[in-house]
């Protein structure tokens, strides 16, 4: 039985549990981004009351509750969606109708992705990448374009970033990583034998790595230090283009970059400003 259905059926709940269930049902858009302490505060209950409710729902605790609820929200969104991620527009439509459907697809993809976001996970990811001496990104095809955009942003705050798979030199880069570095796998399905081989090496050598993928139960995801999930909407081959997956990757990478930036906001702002000034100063000197 779905979680929302169980929450609606309150006849076995205590007064505190009814208060928690009512709040969740009337604040669905907020609940995924509250901690257990915040939920206890807004419902005037306690941490233990929330845990008792999750156990009554057949779950191990608040964390599993949030994960299951996010998946339920995603399924509900998919059911009501009018845009097919694989074929978002059809033959004979006007250019304006195509524009409207792509806009809807972008909005829906980001909303689904936001439902997967976890404050602790994002903070851990940002801290891990901020501390890393070097960042190596493993991405191919369309995903590599997203990776290069992310690389370009990180350059602006003086992060050393390499696209490990750009020139088919991934094996050499892999061997040269140390535990002071960090790697990122950007892969929708996460099934590449080469990536799994690299990930196994990283685990043996205690090298931290992050996987951003739609399949969070894959071997690659399970090997990861941190796994960030994106919506799993696309069929692997039958599609016009990789619209949904690339929108999702762009969104997640932009969020991660922003979280890294805010760790030392003023310093990063100063770095970007100084780089800008130096660039134009040198440009003006060359024109003299």
């Amino acid at each position: 039985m779905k979680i929302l259905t169980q929450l609606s059926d309150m006849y076995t709940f205590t007064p505190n549990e009814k208060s928690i269930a009512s709040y969740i049902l009337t604040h669905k858009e907020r609940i995924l981004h509250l901690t257990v302490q915040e939920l206890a505060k807004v419902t005037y209950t306690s941490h233990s009351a929330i845990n008792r409710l999750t156990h009554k729902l057949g779950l191990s605790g608040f964390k599993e509750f949030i994960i299951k609820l996010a998946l339920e929200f995603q399924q509900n969104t998919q059911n009501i969606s009018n845009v097919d991620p694989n074929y978002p527009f059809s033959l004979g439509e006007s250019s304006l109708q195509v524009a409207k459907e792509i806009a809807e697809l972008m909005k829906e993809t980001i909303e689904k992705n936001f439902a997967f976001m976890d404050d602790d996970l994002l903070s851990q990811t940002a801290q891990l990448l901020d501390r890393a001496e070097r960042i190596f990104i493993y991405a191919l095809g369309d995903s590599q374009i997203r990776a290069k955009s992310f690389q370009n942003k990180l350059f602006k705050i003086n992060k050393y970033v390499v696209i490990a798979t750009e020139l088919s030199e991934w094996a050499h880069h892999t061997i040269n990583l140390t535990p002071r570095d960090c790697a990122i796998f950007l892969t929708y399905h996460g099934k590449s034998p080469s990536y799994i081989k690299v990930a196994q090496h990283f685990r043996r050598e205690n090298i931290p790595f992050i996987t951003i993928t739609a399949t969070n139960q894959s071997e690659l995801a399970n090997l990861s230090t941190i796994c960030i999930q994106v919506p799993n909407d696309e069929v692997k081959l039958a599609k016009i283009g990789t619209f949904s997956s690339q929108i999702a990757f762009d969104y997640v990478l932009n969020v991660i970059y922003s979280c890294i930036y805010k760790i030392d906001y003023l310093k990063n702002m100063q770095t970007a400003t100084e780089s800008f000034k130096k660039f134009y100063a040198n440009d003006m000197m060359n024109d003299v």
Side-chain angles (χ1 to χ4, degrees):
M1 187 183 293
K2 290 187 174 182
I3 290 174
L4 293 176
T5 304
Q6 292 182 74
L7 289 172
S8 301
D9 189 9
M10 300 186 194
Y11 71 92
T12 62
F13 291 175
T14 66
N16 275 348
E17 290 167 354
K18 287 180 180 178
S19 175
I20 298 164
S22 296
Y23 184 88
I24 293 168
L25 291 169
T26 54
H27 296 83
K28 295 175 188 174
E29 71 286 354
R30 289 191 59 202
I31 192 64
L32 296 179
H33 307 286
L34 293 181
T35 65
V36 66
Q37 292 82 5
E38 289 168 337
L39 181 58
K41 184 177 180 180
V42 296
T43 55
Y44 303 99
T45 58
S46 64
H47 186 294
S48 56
I50 293 168
N51 275 332
R52 282 195 296 272
L53 175 60
T54 61
H55 295 157
K56 195 169 281 189
L57 298 173
L59 305 171
S60 61
F62 186 71
K63 189 167 186 178
E64 186 184 4
F65 168 77
I66 290 296
I67 293 170
K68 298 270 188 181
L69 195 61
L71 290 172
E72 194 168 306
F73 286 166
Q74 183 195 15
Q75 289 166 358
N76 290 344
T77 304
Q78 288 173 330
N79 290 338
I80 63 172
S81 174
N82 294 318
V83 183
D84 182 346
N86 303 293
Y87 293 91
F89 54 90
S90 9
L91 181 67
E93 290 185 350
S94 69
S95 298
L96 192 59
Q97 181 62 26
V98 171
K100 181 177 182 292
E101 287 166 342
I102 293 298
E104 288 178 1
L105 177 61
M106 293 178 73
K107 181 182 176 183
E108 288 177 7
T109 300
I110 290 172
E111 285 177 348
K112 290 177 190 178
N113 225 136
F114 182 65
F116 285 117
M117 292 295 180
D118 177 88
D119 190 58
D120 289 339
L121 201 62
L122 287 172
S123 296
Q124 291 168 22
T125 301
Q127 293 285 349
L128 186 59
L129 291 170
D130 187 59
R131 291 194 304 266
E133 288 186 0
R134 302 176 298 173
I135 299 167
F136 290 80
I137 306 177
Y138 293 75
L140 295 169
D142 292 342
S143 299
Q144 191 174 109
I145 299 170
R146 310 282 83 77
K148 288 185 74 65
S149 175
F150 183 59
Q151 178 192 43
N152 184 54
K153 291 183 180 71
L154 290 174
F155 280 160
K156 291 179 173 65
I157 55 173
N158 287 344
K159 299 298 180 187
Y160 185 100
V161 187
V162 175
I163 309 295
T165 46
E166 187 170 22
L167 298 173
S168 300
E169 299 290 349
W170 62 269
H172 299 291
H173 287 307
T174 299
I175 294 300
N176 286 321
L177 264 77
T178 77
R180 297 187 301 277
D181 301 319
C182 186
I184 300 174
F185 290 96
L186 199 61
T187 167
Y188 196 65
H189 296 286
K191 295 178 181 178
S192 165
S194 297
Y195 283 2
I196 293 169
K197 186 176 180 180
V198 172
Q200 290 168 340
H201 169 76
F202 288 161
R203 282 294 294 266
R204 286 193 300 270
E205 300 298 322
N206 294 316
I207 296 165
F209 65 98
I210 299 154
T211 297
I212 303 172
T213 182
T215 49
N216 68 339
Q217 296 302 317
S218 66
E219 184 177 358
L220 179 63
N222 291 330
L223 286 166
S224 304
T225 310
I226 294 174
C227 179
I228 297 177
Q229 188 179 4
V230 300
N232 191 357
D233 290 339
E234 291 181 356
V235 177
K236 190 168 185 181
L237 295 176
K239 54 193 171 189
I240 291 175
T242 56
F243 296 111
S244 180
S245 61
Q246 300 312 308
I247 292 164
F249 283 153
D250 247 349
Y251 174 66
V252 170
L253 292 173
N254 281 333
V255 169
I256 291 171
Y257 168 73
S258 301
C259 291
I260 295 170
Y261 193 103
K262 78 178 181 66
I263 290 173
D264 203 338
Y265 193 96
L266 294 178
K267 178 186 174 184
N268 288 326
M269 185 182 290
Q270 184 179 10
T271 297
T273 303
E274 287 177 353
S275 297
F276 184 80
K277 286 179 179 177
K278 286 178 181 178
F279 173 81
Y280 278 100
N282 290 334
D283 192 38
M284 289 172 66
M285 288 176 67
N286 290 332
D287 285 344
V288 173

